[in-house]
């Protein structure tokens, strides 16, 4: 461990350090920081743990990371896997790999590639998922784009301006579907979906309400309430359709 | 004080002519408080209801104002949290929040201070408003200020309502923290009610 005069914290190899305010925090190898950390730049290359809250302008986890508290980051990027026991706030969150969040996510722009499990609500201006997500609460975003691959995504409720749920165009092959046999289940499941412009594929929902609604292939929906245009294509199954 | 009548989300959108997207955006920005989304189960599953009067008046305000104010500024207006705002008495007068006479009266009671915090500005604002309207006299203003201050200590940031009462020309006032009901002697007349939450909103709008 080496703490330089200008307030950098660097752990090379393995070690632990106390929290505090730093300019740059870098863990190369395996490191543990006890307490809260406030810094301009935060990097984990390898594996790292923060036992308190992490506040940073620019955070990046390459490998695996655990934060026992909350993350507040202007920019937060996770390549690999991360477990956040608290919530995440900030301007942008980008995940390639997997992430678990114990509380709510309140971030302007959320981009998920891989899998995400979020226990609380999600608030965002844009929410984009390539892969799968599982969230128990409300997904509230202005613009939601979901590309479904081979496993199920789930949200308690979805409220939005615009939502587009579609089957991913790339990454699908017969070979792949054989490999994932038995688990191949590319659907989005939600209790209710409400929004202005709604386009859905492979979506299973109890209620879908909105202004303009298009339901495409693979949809199974109990009740649709629409105000403007409504269109059903492919093999979508809808029990009740109501114009409000 | 509290009106228990509720309105379903569907009816709300219909009456106010707003879309789901707008409603969810305002919820995200905190313009419509989380507590107002009341979930009930119905035969179709979950339905959301709102306290009718409060949500309708709030949406009316948002629709009237959103043209010239950003949503984030608007969120501050509706936030029950007292602003960290401090102003010098001269600035309060300069910004037409309190008239210079009103400020003088306030300072006669409270002494001269260099800065006024939000609560002090609010007290001065209420005093100024009532005296200017001729509802109360100078001496009566003093007891009103005392009640406002005591109420602030007792209720903290909670919204409260201050009642102005007159009986046989004698003035009195008291503060109530809702929900609560009052019953008064027949000779007494309520000459004014001040809802502190509404005043706070009104004042913040002037201060943006």
């Amino acid at each position: 461990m080496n703490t330089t005069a200008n307030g950098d914290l660097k752990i090379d190899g393995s070690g632990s350090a106390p929290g505090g305010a730093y300019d740059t925090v870098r863990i190369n190898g395996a490191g543990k920081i006890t307490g809260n950390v406030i810094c301009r730049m935060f990097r984990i290359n390898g594996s790292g743990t923060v036992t308190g809250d992490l506040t940073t302008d620019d955070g990046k986890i390459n490998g695996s990371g655990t934060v026992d508290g909350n993350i507040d980051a202007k920019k937060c990027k996770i390549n690999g896997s991360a477990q956040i026991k608290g919530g995440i706030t900030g301007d942008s969150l980008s995940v390639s790999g997997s992430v678990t969040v114990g509380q709510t996510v309140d971030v302007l722009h959320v981009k998920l590639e891989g899998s995400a499990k979020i226990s609380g609500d999600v608030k965002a201006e844009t929410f984009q998922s390539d892969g799968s997500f599982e969230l128990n609460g409300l997904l509230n975003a202005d613009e939601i784009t979901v590309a479904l691959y081979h496993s199920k995504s789930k949200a308690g409720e979805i409220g939005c301006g615009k939502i587009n749920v579609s089957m991913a165009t790339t990454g699908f092959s017969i070979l792949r579907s054989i490999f994932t046999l038995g688990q191949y289940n590319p659907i989005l499941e939600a209790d209710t979906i409400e929004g202005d412009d709604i386009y859905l594929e492979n979506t299973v929902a109890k209620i879908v309400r909105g202004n303009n609604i298009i339901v495409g292939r693979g949809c199974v929906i109990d009740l649709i309430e629409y105000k403007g245009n409504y269109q059903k294509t492919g093999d979508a199954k809808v029990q009740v359709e109501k114009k409000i | 004080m509290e009106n228990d009548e509720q309105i379903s989300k569907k009816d709300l959108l219909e009456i106010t002519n707003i879309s789901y997207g707008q409603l969810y955006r305002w919820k995200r920005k905190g313009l419509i408080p989380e507590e107002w989304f009341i979930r009930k189960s119905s035969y179709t599953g979950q339905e959301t209801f709102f306290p009718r009067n409060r949500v309708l008046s709030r949406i009316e305000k948002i629709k009237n104002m959103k043209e010239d104010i950003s949503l984030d500024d608007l969120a501050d207006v509706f936030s029950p949290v007292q602003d960290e705002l401090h102003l010098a008495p001269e600035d309060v007068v300069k910004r037409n929040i309190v008239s210079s006479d009103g400020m003088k009266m306030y300072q006669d009671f409270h002494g001269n201070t260099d800065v006024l915090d939000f609560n002090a500005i609010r007290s001065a604002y209420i005093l100024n408003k009532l005296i200017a309207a001729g509802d109360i006299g100078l001496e009566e203003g003093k007891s009103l200020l005392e009640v406002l201050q005591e109420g602030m200590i007792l209720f903290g940031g909670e919204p409260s309502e201050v009642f102005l009462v007159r009986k046989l020309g004698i003035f009195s006032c008291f503060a109530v923290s809702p929900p609560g009901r009052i019953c008064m002697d027949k000779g007494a007349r309520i000459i004014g009610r001040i809802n502190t939450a509404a005043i706070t909103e009104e004042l913040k709008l002037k201060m943006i």
Side-chain angles (χ1 to χ4, degrees):
Chain A
M1 191 196 87
N2 172 27
T3 310
T4 57
N6 58 7
D8 289 349
L9 170 67
K10 201 170 174 192
I11 299 175
D12 285 316
S14 87
S16 69
Y22 300 99
D23 182 68
T24 303
V25 174
R26 223 178 254 284
I27 298 174
N28 298 316
K32 182 174 180 176
I33 299 174
T34 25
N36 300 335
V37 182
I38 299 173
C39 59
R40 185 182 57 81
M41 193 163 104
F42 181 88
R43 292 284 181 274
I44 294 174
N45 295 309
S47 88
T49 302
V50 174
T51 65
D53 296 336
L54 168 62
T55 308
T56 184
D57 288 344
D58 176 5
K60 203 177 203 177
I61 296 170
N62 296 315
S64 80
T66 305
V67 175
D68 290 342
N70 302 306
I71 293 184
D72 180 21
K74 283 210 178 85
K75 225 167 86 184
C76 178
K77 197 163 169 42
I78 295 161
N79 298 314
S81 78
Q83 193 187 7
I84 318 303
K85 292 187 183 147
I88 304 180
T89 52
D91 293 347
S92 89
L93 169 67
S94 151
V95 178
S96 302
S98 77
V99 68
T100 311
V101 184
Q103 288 169 22
T104 60
V105 172
D106 184 354
V107 175
L108 291 178
H109 304 288
V110 177
K111 194 172 177 207
L112 306 172
E113 287 171 344
S115 73
K117 200 170 170 179
I118 300 164
S119 303
D121 294 347
V122 174
K123 266 195 251 180
E125 290 310 304
T126 62
F127 178 91
Q128 193 185 336
S129 163
D130 283 271
S132 68
F133 61 88
E134 185 184 331
L135 64 102
N136 301 321
L138 167 70
L139 167 57
N140 179 350
D142 201 42
E143 207 174 323
I144 299 173
T145 315
V146 177
L148 297 167
Y149 287 81
H150 52 81
S151 50
K152 185 165 99 175
S153 287
K154 204 178 135 191
E157 287 173 80
I158 297 176
C160 60
K162 222 170 153 178
I163 182 168
N164 185 313
V165 180
S166 58
M167 282 294 295
T169 44
T170 55
F172 178 79
S173 70
I174 292 170
L175 202 64
R176 185 174 213 155
S177 60
I178 291 168
F179 276 129
T180 55
L181 201 67
Q183 294 161 22
Y184 183 75
N185 190 20
I187 61 164
L188 168 67
E189 205 179 87
D191 270 355
T192 55
I193 299 174
E194 293 176 335
D196 294 345
D197 291 297
I198 299 178
Y199 177 86
L200 303 175
E201 284 177 12
N202 277 37
T203 300
V204 178
K206 287 193 188 117
I207 305 174
V208 176
R209 296 191 182 101
N211 194 24
N212 300 317
I213 303 176
I214 301 174
V215 287
R217 58 177 165 159
C219 286
V220 181
I221 291 153
D222 293 353
L223 170 66
I224 286 186
E225 291 179 357
Y226 62 100
K227 209 174 160 186
N229 297 317
Y230 167 60
Q231 210 183 319
K232 193 171 90 174
T233 61
D235 59 349
K237 291 190 191 81
V238 179
Q239 273 183 28
V240 184
E241 299 155 355
K242 260 198 251 177
K243 186 168 167 77
I244 302 295
Chain B
M1 244 163 274
E2 292 279 326
N3 195 331
D4 286 327
E5 207 185 323
Q6 292 181 348
I7 183 169
S8 75
K9 193 193 273 174
K10 207 188 295 173
D11 291 344
L12 179 70
L13 298 191
E14 176 82 42
I15 291 174
T16 56
N17 197 24
I18 61 169
S19 71
Y20 283 109
Q22 274 168 309
L23 183 70
Y24 280 107
R25 187 170 310 127
W26 295 343
K27 183 184 186 186
R28 275 203 306 281
K29 297 282 182 189
L31 296 182
I32 302 176
E34 202 84 32
E35 315 87 79
W36 290 8
F37 289 72
I38 303 157
R39 330 222 348 206
K40 289 181 178 176
S41 49
S42 71
Y43 68 99
T44 46
Q46 289 275 356
E47 285 268 20
T48 304
F49 290 82
F50 299 85
R52 187 187 168 94
N53 292 341
R54 278 184 286 170
V55 78
L56 286 177
S57 92
R58 176 64 55 93
I59 286 178
E60 212 41 56
K61 280 180 198 156
I62 298 170
K63 278 162 78 178
N64 289 337
M65 291 188 301
K66 66 173 180 173
E67 308 288 318
D68 35 339
I69 307 174
S70 82
L71 285 182
D72 288 324
D73 284 343
L74 210 50
D76 285 342
V77 173
F78 294 130
S79 152
V81 179
Q82 302 303 316
D83 270 0
E84 292 286 312
L85 203 63
H86 291 75
L87 282 179
E90 306 88 75
D91 291 330
V92 176
V93 173
K94 228 181 274 169
R95 292 169 72 166
N96 278 329
I97 296 166
V98 177
S99 71
S100 62
D101 288 344
M103 185 50 76
K104 211 173 286 161
M105 282 183 269
Y106 179 81
Q107 283 170 327
D108 283 347
F109 299 139
H110 269 267
N112 241 328
T113 40
D114 293 342
V115 284
L116 298 172
D117 63 14
F118 187 81
N119 285 334
I121 298 171
R122 191 173 69 179
S123 296
Y125 178 72
I126 295 172
L127 176 74
N128 181 65
K129 203 170 155 163
L130 291 171
I131 290 187
D135 287 344
I136 58 171
L138 261 184
E139 271 309 302
E140 296 166 351
K142 191 174 176 183
S143 68
L144 171 68
L145 283 180
E146 276 165 8
V147 168
L148 285 175
Q149 201 167 4
E150 285 293 313
M152 218 93 81
I153 295 164
L154 214 58
F155 306 141
E158 307 252 313
S160 60
E161 202 160 1
V162 179
F163 286 79
L164 310 176
V165 187
R166 208 180 281 283
K167 184 183 179 186
L168 300 172
I170 310 290
F171 173 85
S172 179
C173 58
F174 57 91
V176 177
S177 166
R181 301 196 294 175
I182 57 162
C183 174
M184 279 200 313
D185 124 41
K186 284 200 186 72
R189 209 162 50 84
I190 295 176
I191 55 166
R193 291 167 69 153
I194 305 157
N195 182 328
T196 58
I199 289 279
T200 301
E201 258 178 52
E202 193 179 312
L203 183 56
K204 281 183 179 171
L205 267 180
K206 282 182 182 279
M207 290 166 81
I208 293 179

